[in-house]
Amino acid sequence: MEEIEVRVRAVKTLLEAFRLERILYIIISSISVIILLCVPIYIIIKAPDKIEWAIGLFVPAGAITLSIGRLLKMWNQAILFVSDQKNEDDGN
């Protein structure tokens, strides 16, 4: 039980050290998603003949999805570290 507590403290220390970066990352990702959803709707309402502009805005959706996935992977790695399991994706 002592080893788990040490690992939990280590993860908490790392999370606190990178807190500002994580918050900024979440804010920037959220703003990107909101813009990605609102601008095409605005274009469709104001200029229905420019539908290709709205479709073109969904091209960066993959990059946003990948960025959000990386954030979730960090949490997965922290949980694996605490539980002392090997992460097969990273070859640890």
Side-chain angles (χ1 to χ4, degrees):
M1 196 63 167
E2 181 72 25
E3 184 179 342
I4 291 175
E5 291 175 5
V6 170
R7 288 178 178 271
V8 168
R9 273 188 258 133
V11 170
K12 284 183 181 180
T13 302
L14 284 172
L15 291 176
E16 288 174 12
F18 294 102
R19 183 175 185 189
L20 178 62
E21 288 87 352
R22 290 184 299 117
I23 291 171
L24 287 175
Y25 185 78
I26 290 170
I27 290 170
I28 291 169
S29 295
S30 299
I31 291 170
S32 298
V33 169
I34 290 169
I35 290 172
L36 183 65
L37 295 175
C38 291
V39 171
I41 293 170
Y42 178 79
I43 290 173
I44 291 169
I45 291 171
K46 293 294 182 181
D49 58 328
K50 305 289 184 186
I51 193 75
E52 63 274 1
W53 291 2
I55 293 171
L57 289 172
F58 286 103
V59 173
I64 293 171
T65 303
L66 179 66
S67 298
I68 293 170
R70 293 299 301 168
L71 179 68
L72 296 175
K73 183 173 181 172
M74 183 226 17
W75 285 107
N76 186 36
Q77 288 173 338
I79 291 170
L80 290 174
F81 177 76
V82 169
S83 66
D84 196 26
Q85 294 179 0
K86 302 267 184 213
N87 189 350
E88 296 171 4
D89 292 341
D90 293 337
N92 293 338

